[in-house]
């Protein structure tokens, strides 16, 4: 039986059979950064002239963004990793689409696009998403947009998609966001592009700053105050198309970093990974856990820090993760939970209630599914408590249709005895369509 097989008996499921010697060796690249891919497509669509995107993530989420902006009038060439060309239609010139826009599974598509749509006067838009997205909170972006003068309707006091938007000329605000969320920050800054004056967002903890960096590169006037956790855009702005080189996604690299750290004998290199400091919480935590991870070839590519990473197997110890670090590793918590299962001691993750409103309730998903494999994981209202050191035993588990849960369980299954069957694993295509192929390659099966 192969070490790893994507051709499970059930469609969309993965079977992981731990081979006797499973060391992960070699050098790999991970797909383009999801956050940067969305932003490159969006800014390209609302800039004047041509934007060229190299290294775009070909996952389902950026495909949703591209489809939405095509419906809004942007010309976007066929998506590929070599070069995607976007012919922008300029701010204020979006076309009123004839049908409902569909953001699929992608919160970033819906929330960021909402800022752009709400600020387009005299146009009416409707936007929806899949089952997961239609249950995720939108009031966090609807509220600041309404303060700017936006008109948005939806179920449950305008907080759930499908949403209907009557575009308006918006006024600038200073929004003090109760959540550290790059989606909220970016939505408000994008809405501020067409407002006359300064639109500022202040957040409790600094979230990823890809929007600020890329808006500056496209010519917008954006001032950041990292100490105050705030960013200001001055409108009306004019954006000019650019070349964007998308680095590898550290959130995808995280699966291999943890795999390399927990699978005996592993020695892996992951090249061309984005190491923007607002995203590197995973590296800090792995270091605290005693993992042997090194960064080299640090460089700046199109305004984003990039490096190559090396991870080698070694013993891990438990650690505590809370408030200030959470926004810098929010998407990596499921795979960090897997690392904690193989660490000595009890790892406690707090202040991460946001995980309950991601693509799935990730606190419930990772706790219940790792426990099915024999781990000792307890749910906290805002996090997880994981006692490491209990060997895992293969079982049937479920991804909850969440890409990051599917891939985290696959890495856990690598270190379990027997066979692990992951249902609905095909969800991985949201952010990492080639994950299974890369795992197969690494295992040499
Ligand atoms: C993202 C921001 C984060 C992250 C998501 C991508 C972005 O969400 O979890 O995967 O690209 O802005 P929040 O803004 O909800 O924290």
């Amino acid at each position: 039986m192969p070490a790893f097989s994507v051709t499970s008996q059930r469609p969309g499921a993965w079977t992981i059979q731990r081979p006797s010697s499973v060391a992960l060796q070699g050098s790999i690249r991970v797909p383009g950064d999801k956050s940067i891919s969305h932003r490159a497509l969006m800014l390209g669509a609302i800039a004047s002239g041509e934007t060229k995107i190299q290294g775009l993530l070909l996952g389902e989420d950026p495909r949703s963004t591209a489809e939405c902006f095509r419906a809004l009038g942007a010309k976007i060439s066929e998506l590929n990793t070599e070069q995607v060309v976007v012919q922008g239609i300029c701010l204020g010139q979006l076309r009123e689409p004839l049908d409902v826009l569909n953001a699929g599974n992608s919160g970033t598509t819906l929330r960021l696009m909402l800022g752009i749509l709400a600020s387009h006067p005299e146009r009416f838009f409707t936007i929806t998403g899949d089952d997961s997205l239609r249950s995720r909170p939108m009031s966090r972006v609807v509220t600041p947009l309404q303060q700017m003068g936006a008109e948005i309707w939806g179920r449950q006091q305008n907080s759930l998609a499908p949403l209907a938007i009557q575009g308006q000329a918006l006024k600038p605000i200073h929004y003090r966001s109760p959540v550290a969320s790059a989606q909220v920050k970016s939505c408000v800054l994008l809405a501020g592009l067409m407002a006359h004056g300064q639109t500022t967002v202040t957040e409790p903890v600094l979230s990823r700053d890809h929007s600020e960096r890329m808006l500056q590169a496209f010519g917008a006037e954006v001032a950041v105050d990292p100490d105050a956790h705030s960013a200001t855009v001055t409108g009306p702005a004019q954006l000019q198309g650019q070349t964007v080189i998308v680095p590898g996604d550290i959130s995808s690299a995280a699966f291999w970093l943890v795999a390399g750290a927990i699978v005996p004998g592993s020695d892996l290199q992951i090249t061309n990974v984005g190491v923007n400091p607002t995203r590197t919480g995973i590296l800090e935590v792995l270091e605290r856990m005693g993992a042997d991870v090194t960064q080299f070839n640090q460089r700046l590519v199109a305004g984003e820090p990039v490096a190559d990473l090396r991870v080698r197997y070694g013993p891990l110890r438990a650690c505590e993760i809370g408030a200030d670090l959470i926004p810098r590793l929010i998407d990596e918590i499921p795979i960090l939970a897997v690392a904690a299962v193989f660490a000595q001691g009890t790892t406690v993750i707090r202040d991460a209630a946001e995980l309950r409103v991601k693509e799935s309730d990730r606190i419930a998903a990772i706790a219940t599914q790792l426990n099915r494999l024999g781990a000792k994981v307890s749910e906290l209202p805002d996090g997880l408590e994981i006692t490491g050191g209990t060997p895992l035993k293969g079982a049937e588990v479920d991804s909850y249709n969440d890409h990051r849960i599917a891939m985290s369980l696959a890495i856990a299954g690598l270190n379990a005895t027997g066979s692990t069957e992951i249902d609905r694993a095909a969800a991985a295509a949201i952010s990492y369509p080639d994950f299974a192929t890369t795992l197969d390659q690494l295992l040499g099966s």
Side-chain angles (χ1 to χ4, degrees):
M1 184 178 209
F4 178 80
S5 161
V6 282
T7 49
S8 158
Q9 303 293 56
R10 269 167 297 161
W14 290 343
T15 302
I16 299 190
Q17 177 75 37
R18 186 202 161 114
S20 49
S21 89
V22 73
L24 303 173
Q25 310 241 326
S27 176
I28 54 167
R29 278 172 83 98
V30 286
D33 187 278
K34 182 157 78 69
S35 294
I36 296 175
S37 294
H38 283 301
R39 286 157 174 82
L41 289 164
M42 288 188 193
L43 295 198
I46 57 170
S48 59
E50 204 169 80
T51 287
K52 293 180 176 147
I53 310 170
Q54 293 165 18
L56 187 85
L57 166 65
L58 301 183
E60 297 299 326
D61 272 10
R63 288 187 193 281
S64 296
T65 294
E67 271 315 300
C68 287
F69 279 87
R70 282 181 181 131
L72 291 163
K75 293 211 163 27
I76 303 175
S77 68
E78 200 190 318
L79 302 192
N80 63 73
T81 52
E82 297 295 303
Q83 179 158 284
V84 173
V85 180
V86 183
Q87 299 287 348
I89 27 167
C90 295
L91 263 178
Q93 304 299 315
L94 292 185
R95 183 171 79 191
E96 182 175 277
L98 299 177
D99 208 341
V100 180
L101 297 165
N102 193 339
N105 189 245
S106 174
T108 309
T109 306
L110 202 161
R111 293 192 178 121
L112 269 60
M113 187 163 64
L114 204 58
I116 297 172
L117 302 183
S119 59
H120 269 71
E122 290 160 37
R123 289 151 181 86
F124 184 77
F125 309 94
T126 47
I127 178 163
T128 191
D130 70 4
D131 290 354
S132 154
L133 192 55
R134 279 185 277 110
S135 69
R136 294 178 67 187
M138 292 302 144
S139 41
R140 56 182 58 201
V141 281
V142 170
T143 300
L145 290 174
Q146 284 172 332
Q147 288 174 18
M148 297 175 83
E151 288 189 20
I152 301 169
W153 300 270
R155 291 175 297 130
Q156 297 196 12
Q157 283 90 44
N158 312 319
S159 70
L160 292 177
L163 296 173
I165 305 112
Q166 176 62 59
Q168 298 291 336
L170 301 185
K171 56 177 189 288
I173 55 165
H174 184 164
Y175 186 61
R176 290 176 180 81
S177 176
V179 281
S181 158
Q183 293 178 356
V184 171
K185 173 172 63 178
S186 306
C187 167
V188 175
L189 292 177
L190 288 168
L193 289 173
M194 293 229 286
H196 287 251
Q198 294 193 321
T199 296
T200 300
V201 182
T202 301
E203 37 185 1
V205 181
L206 189 65
S207 65
R208 64 192 67 191
D209 66 358
H210 306 299
S211 296
E212 296 90 305
R213 287 172 188 256
M214 204 183 289
L215 280 167
Q216 283 168 338
F218 275 69
E221 195 182 321
V222 178
V224 291
D225 184 345
D227 296 330
H229 314 146
S230 68
T232 300
V233 64
T234 303
Q238 294 256 317
L239 303 183
Q240 183 61 49
Q242 299 294 319
T243 295
V244 180
I245 303 169
V246 183
D249 198 329
I250 192 165
S251 298
S252 298
F255 300 107
W256 308 121
L257 290 173
V258 171
I262 64 172
V263 175
S266 297
D267 184 352
L268 261 183
Q269 284 197 23
I270 312 152
T271 58
N272 190 45
V273 181
V275 286
N276 178 315
T278 59
R279 298 282 299 280
T280 48
I282 172 85
L283 299 179
E284 275 174 48
V285 169
L286 285 175
E287 193 182 324
R288 275 204 232 156
M289 294 178 87
D292 184 356
V293 178
T294 45
Q295 261 190 71
F296 52 103
N297 288 337
Q298 279 106 337
R299 59 229 186 240
L300 201 65
V301 179
E304 287 281 348
V306 175
D308 300 334
L309 305 175
R310 180 179 184 186
V311 58
R312 278 174 285 192
Y313 168 73
L316 297 180
R317 53 179 176 268
C319 75
E320 303 220 335
I321 306 173
D324 284 4
L325 255 181
I326 296 295
R328 296 180 53 225
L329 49 65
I330 186 74
D331 292 340
E332 288 68 76
I333 291 176
I335 189 63
L336 274 173
V338 174
V341 166
F342 296 98
Q344 272 314 312
T346 299
T347 293
V348 182
I349 302 170
R350 286 195 182 281
D351 307 315
E354 276 293 298
L355 287 177
R356 295 211 181 263
V357 290
K358 292 292 179 189
E359 286 84 328
S360 69
D361 175 344
R362 286 183 173 160
I363 293 177
I366 202 70
T368 56
Q369 302 311 295
L370 286 177
N371 285 340
R372 277 202 196 182
L373 295 171
K376 287 193 181 142
V377 185
S378 325
E379 281 188 46
L380 304 173
D382 62 345
L384 294 160
E385 197 171 283
I386 304 146
T387 301
T390 316
L392 298 191
K393 224 171 125 219
E396 188 185 330
V397 288
D398 180 34
S399 77
Y400 281 49
N401 230 359
D402 181 328
H403 54 131
R404 300 204 197 279
I405 300 296
M407 294 183 278
S408 299
L409 292 172
I411 301 302
L414 269 185
N415 247 9
T417 54
S419 165
T420 299
E421 176 96 0
I422 305 168
D423 291 332
R424 299 194 283 175
I430 290 292
S431 63
Y432 203 157
D434 290 337
F435 177 85
T437 314
T438 303
L439 185 50
D440 257 339
Q441 274 164 11
L442 282 172
L443 294 171
S445 56

